Amino acid sequence: MKVLISGASVAGPVLAYWLDRYGFETTVVERTPALRHGLGGHAVDLFGQATDVVQQMGLWDEVKAARTMIDDLTIERSGGRPVHVDLGRLYAGISDRHVEILRGELIRILSSATTSEYLFGDSITALTDDGAGVDVTFERNAPRRFDLVIGADGMHSNVRRLAFGPEEPVRRHLGGYLAVYSMPDLFPLGSSMLIHQSVDRLVGLYSVRQTGQSRAMFMVRTEAELEYDYRDKDQQKALLATAFRDYGWRVPQLFEHLEAADDFYFDAIAQITLDTWQRGRIGLVGDAGYCPAPAVGGGTSLAVATAYILAGELAANGPAGLRTYEAKVRQMVDRSRKIGPKVMGSIIPRGPATLRLLPLATSVVPKLPRPIQRFIWSQNAVGKALGSTALPDYSALLSPRSPADPGR
Ligand SMILES: Cc1cc2nc3c(=O)[nH]c(=O)nc-3n(C[C@H](O)[C@H](O)[C@H](O)COP(=O)(O)OP(=O)(O)OC[C@H]3O[C@@H](n4cnc5c(N)ncnc54)[C@H](O)[C@@H]3O)c2cc1C
């Protein structure tokens, strides 16, 4: 079977890898002119099941070697003493397996394991599903026909727009905005991350060991959605500057590098709430189908685990696997949707009481005995979604590797 995957970030390469291993023929179309690999972009987390998938792909050692090595967190806030948090112990309470890695590094490692055909600098313009296959037209490449088309093209998915309808009705604004950019390492932090919280706003800073630069992160709570042009970075930088104009702390120094930032990211902290991820021979995976909200929802682990399940279900059931995949991942998706609102409520304090108490709670939990930490997390949406549930085993469906394939 020939499968077209739109998007070569996290879900796309994981899906392509496993489909290749089950004997499918895969093509990946990616809008950017080359892989988004490298050291730009933000740090993401792999928990529990997602680390199992990476391990089964033979990539665990590479992923671990590339980890950010940020091991502790200092939380500062106006009018309070700084609080220190051991991140290793905090994450260990949530899941016994966790790694933090730059998304670009993860993409490089995942995609290097695939044997797919890649079409860079292109995008799908139309999809016609006639029940026996899907005719696809592209912006640049000639039209082609595939047995299945999967959208792994992120929160603002093109495949979702073409096959399932516009984004607006299925986007749930969680009441905030997120901005990230790279800048010189003005305040070298080594293996620490620094967060400064105030009511309705947060600023974060960490050093990127591989680049010698640092990354500044801003979150702001705004109940209403902002009106802006998603292509106009200057307009978005101005919105950020206005939101933090009176913040103080180290923000004036961080803003000296805002204008020059060429990897500036700005987007709503929002979820995709579509309730079906398959239509005929077209499906969605990862953020494209059920983005649990950038930075606060554990989207990377969800993308990895669900892409593995989608590939397995297609291998087991052919095109009908789109339906069995949907049934198998639904609970995981439902649980993930509960994470974002919870995390938003805690990391961007709503009032002076949260601002005072939350950093203390965050610092105390990792110091408790491990079984008590586990109990606390098991009662919480984050722990429930990211905790370790066993993944289905599809190993009986693997195609034999050719002698030329070194395997992993
Ligand atoms: C600032 C920020 C911080 C984050 N922090 C964390 C974190 O700490 N932990 C965590 O787990 N997650 C985090 N996330 C979320 C995480 O990045 C996503 O959940 C994860 O990358 C989802 O992977 P994906 O492959 O589904 O989609 P994406 O990574 O969004 O990839 C989509 C891919 O599709 C491509 N594409 C888009 N449109 C088209 C098109 N028309 N045609 C072809 N290709 C297209 C894109 O170029 C991209 O390569 C963060 C996200 C952001 C933005």
Side-chain angles (χ1 to χ4, degrees):
M1 261 207 276
K2 289 186 182 168
V3 182
L4 174 66
I5 300 166
S6 173
S9 174
V10 178
V14 173
L15 176 64
Y17 171 89
W18 287 104
L19 288 178
D20 291 347
R21 295 287 316 269
Y22 301 131
F24 288 70
E25 214 177 293
T26 54
T27 299
V28 182
V29 57
E30 166 59 50
R31 184 185 55 181
T32 55
L35 273 182
R36 284 174 177 268
H37 63 73
L39 303 166
H42 49 272
V44 297
D45 301 285
L46 295 174
F47 284 99
Q49 297 155 325
T51 66
D52 295 341
V53 172
V54 170
Q55 231 147 23
Q56 287 183 43
M57 293 168 77
L59 302 173
W60 183 236
D61 290 344
E62 248 179 289
V63 166
K64 260 197 348 205
R67 72 185 187 88
T68 57
M69 297 192 186
I70 293 172
D71 297 324
D72 54 85
L73 168 69
T74 300
I75 306 175
E76 295 184 6
R77 59 225 143 108
S78 10
R81 275 188 298 134
V83 168
H84 300 284
V85 182
D86 179 338
L87 286 177
R89 288 188 65 95
L90 182 76
Y91 290 135
I94 303 175
S95 165
D96 49 5
R97 288 144 298 148
H98 167 258
V99 69
E100 184 188 67
I101 180 171
L102 293 176
R103 186 178 70 156
E105 287 283 81
L106 182 62
I107 294 172
R108 172 181 65 75
I109 295 168
L110 294 174
S111 54
S112 71
T114 62
T115 53
S116 313
E117 172 194 25
Y118 280 85
L119 308 175
F120 287 109
D122 208 352
S123 179
I124 299 169
T125 50
L127 296 165
T128 311
D129 179 352
D130 61 16
V134 187
D135 290 311
V136 182
T137 58
F138 298 94
E139 277 174 13
R140 296 180 49 194
N141 281 276
R144 282 162 71 169
R145 186 172 171 81
F146 294 88
D147 296 297
L148 296 168
V149 175
I150 308 295
D153 41 9
M155 182 176 173
H156 306 296
S157 168
N158 183 42
V159 170
R160 190 181 63 232
R161 182 178 56 78
L162 292 170
F164 295 77
E167 178 176 311
E168 210 174 290
V170 295
R171 189 180 63 227
R172 177 184 172 210
H173 183 59
L174 294 191
Y177 283 81
L178 168 68
V180 184
Y181 60 90
S182 297
M183 52 172 273
D185 205 12
L186 298 186
F187 311 101
L189 293 166
S191 62
S192 294
M193 180 170 185
L194 179 61
I195 279 181
H196 188 278
Q197 290 176 320
S198 70
V199 173
D200 289 341
R201 287 179 293 181
L202 170 149
V203 184
L205 199 59
Y206 59 92
S207 300
V208 178
R209 65 181 174 89
Q210 295 100 328
T211 61
Q213 286 201 305
S214 72
R215 206 140 290 158
M217 183 183 80
F218 299 80
M219 285 185 180
V220 58
R221 189 189 306 285
T222 53
E223 298 304 338
E225 289 199 65
L226 300 174
E227 295 263 332
Y228 65 93
D229 179 349
Y230 72 93
R231 285 161 302 210
D232 187 343
K233 293 290 171 199
D234 290 337
Q235 187 194 15
Q236 296 163 27
K237 286 178 182 180
L239 283 172
L240 176 68
T242 306
F244 284 84
R245 193 178 36 214
D246 58 344
Y247 196 89
W249 191 62
R250 301 182 187 189
V251 170
Q253 285 126 300
L254 306 187
F255 276 175
E256 281 171 21
H257 303 275
L258 175 61
E259 200 181 320
D262 56 10
D263 62 351
F264 181 77
Y265 167 93
F266 182 89
D267 209 342
I269 305 178
Q271 296 187 327
I272 295 299
T273 58
L274 198 69
D275 59 5
T276 180
W277 314 298
Q278 45 87 25
R279 184 159 288 176
R281 287 176 170 257
I282 301 169
L284 300 170
V285 68
D287 273 9
Y290 27 78
C291 173
V296 294
T300 308
S301 292
L302 187 65
V304 170
T306 53
Y308 165 86
I309 293 173
L310 173 55
E313 292 302 312
L314 292 175
N317 305 306
L322 280 173
R323 285 197 300 279
T324 54
Y325 144 76
E326 181 167 296
K328 284 225 155 75
V329 304
R330 186 167 295 283
Q331 189 188 42
M332 222 185 272
V333 170
D334 286 346
R335 285 179 168 182
S336 301
R337 286 184 176 148
K338 300 200 173 102
I339 302 180
K342 280 245 173 206
V343 174
M344 280 277 289
S346 54
I347 65 172
I348 315 180
R350 276 191 184 276
T354 334
L355 182 62
R356 211 171 42 249
L357 293 175
L358 249 147
L360 292 173
T362 316
S363 70
V364 166
V365 172
K367 292 179 190 142
L368 298 171
R370 196 61 58 81
I372 297 178
Q373 285 188 49
R374 282 277 153 80
F375 175 74
I376 292 171
W377 283 114
S378 71
Q379 304 302 303
N380 167 300
V382 180
K384 279 191 178 134
L386 301 178
S388 336
T389 318
L391 286 167
D393 177 7
Y394 301 109
S395 54
L397 303 167
L398 290 170
S399 305
R401 285 200 179 267
S402 73
D405 183 347
R408 283 182 167 263

